[in-house]
Amino acid sequence: MKAVIYQKFGTTDVLETVEQPKPTIKADQVLIKVKAFSINPMDWKIRKGEMTLMSGSKFPKNTGTDFAGIIEEIGSSVTGFKKGDEVFGVVNNMMKEGASAEYVAVIASLVWKKPENISFTQAASIPVVGTAAVTAIEKMGNVTSQTTILVNGATGGFGMVLLQLLKQRGANVTAVTSTKGVESVKKWGANTVIDYTKENVLSQKTKYDIVVDLSGKMGYKNAKEIMKSKALFLNPTPQPIEIPLSLLNNLFTGKKHIVVLSSPGIKYTNVLLDAVMKGLDIEINKAFPFEQYKEAYQYAEKGGYIGKVAVEIN
């Protein structure tokens, strides 16, 4: 089978396609013929060597975390699935494994049946950003219509899901985006929209209960200017040093810096599957054929697009 790997840290230039044996499965695994996998910022953070404390420096490495496809083989202890089922899921360890291949062997507990009302590409785009969105809402605590929330960088995959889930909970959400993202964030449920090409969100007088920085460009230090005295700053893209520092700093201030670390599991996926059945919009900005995987990663890393970027495998 074909798989995308890299032998050293670096840009998209280090990515290459190699021939590998089709994976053999253990008793608790399923073998999946991959139809699509999505691209997430963590993919290139790992590939560029920014996460070596967690990823290690052993090569070759694969890339890609979430995928969708068709079950081809089932392990002897697996129940609830059959050959031919259309499914989606995640690899067990995004730091060590990858979904960018024609086949993946995955623990059955990290695979779910694909809803009929979405495509393989849409399903492959749910787990990572969806889990992050559900986890972020958990960190927010009790959200009501009186809760004022600012979502900075709201038009990527994470923001797409987060805005819609917050809308279902009746939160008062302000979304920060570029001009081309205004209509999308309105569609996804933002009550107020700030176009950052026309207005600096940090110069306004409004204060928020919760600030979610999906762009990674605002930072806690700047966000404090627009946070209420007892407010939360949610950071889903922390630098490794920010994790222990946030715990220490939170002891001395009412403005809390909360690092959002998430790991897909059945609890989160059930929430997302329910949202899909209620019409969750999963917008695919662009889907590349497998042969153009490098172009796909280059496009995704440039940013500025609405929704998700994915790779499809025939």
Side-chain angles (χ1 to χ4, degrees), residues 12 38 102 133 140 181 262 285:
T12 53
S38 84
E102 292 181 302
M140 293 177 188
S262 57
N285 178 267

Side-chain angles (χ1 to χ4, degrees), residues 22-41:
K22 189 186 295 187
T24 55
I25 58 171
K26 299 175 182 176
D28 61 349
Q29 291 183 318
V30 291
L31 179 69
I32 295 163
K33 183 176 176 61
V34 178
K35 301 289 286 183
F37 62 90
S38 84
I39 296 178
N40 299 287

